[in-house]
Amino acid sequence: MSNPQHIENLIETEKESEAKYIRVDRVLFNSGVTEGRVYELHHNYNVDRDVFTNGEAFVIDDVGRNNYSIFMLCKTTLLK
C-alpha cells in the first residue's frame, strides 16, 4: 500500500467523522503500520451503533490486515 498521491492536498481535522485518511506520527507499540505513512480510513458498520455512531474505524495495515488498534497503539493525525 502506498501513500495517497494527493497527500499534499490533505488537511488536518479533529473530527473523526470528517477524516478520510490517518497519518501515523509515532508508533508506540508494534502495530503493523509504518511511522510517517498515511493510510485510508475504513469503517465497519456491523457494530453497536450506540458506541460507534460512524462505524468502527480501521486501516488496512502493511501486511493487509484490518487494523482496528491504530488509535490505541500509535500517535496519529486525522486528515481530510
Side-chain angles (χ1 to χ4, degrees):
M1 170 189 268
S2 60
N3 279 336
Q5 292 180 351
H6 58 285
I7 191 170
E8 64 278 352
N9 297 329
L10 298 177
I11 57 173
E12 294 182 14
T13 182
E14 296 201 10
K15 295 181 180 179
E16 187 179 328
S17 61
E18 293 179 342
K20 302 291 184 202
Y21 298 92
I22 189 168
R23 182 180 62 229
V24 177
D25 298 322
R26 186 158 182 237
V27 175
L28 304 173
F29 297 96
N30 186 9
S31 56
V33 295
T34 303
E35 245 177 60
R37 191 175 219 177
V38 174
Y39 296 87
E40 183 176 3
L41 270 179
H42 301 275
H43 298 274
N44 177 359
Y45 295 100
N46 296 322
V47 294
D48 185 351
R49 297 282 175 143
D50 293 332
V51 177
F52 299 101
T53 56
N54 193 33
E56 187 176 11
F58 68 95
V59 299
I60 307 297
D61 67 16
D62 295 343
V63 294
R65 296 176 298 199
N66 293 357
N67 187 324
Y68 291 90
S69 63
I70 192 167
F71 293 103
M72 295 179 290
L73 301 178
C74 302
K75 181 176 168 57
T76 60
T77 302
L78 297 170
L79 303 166
K80 63 177 182 175

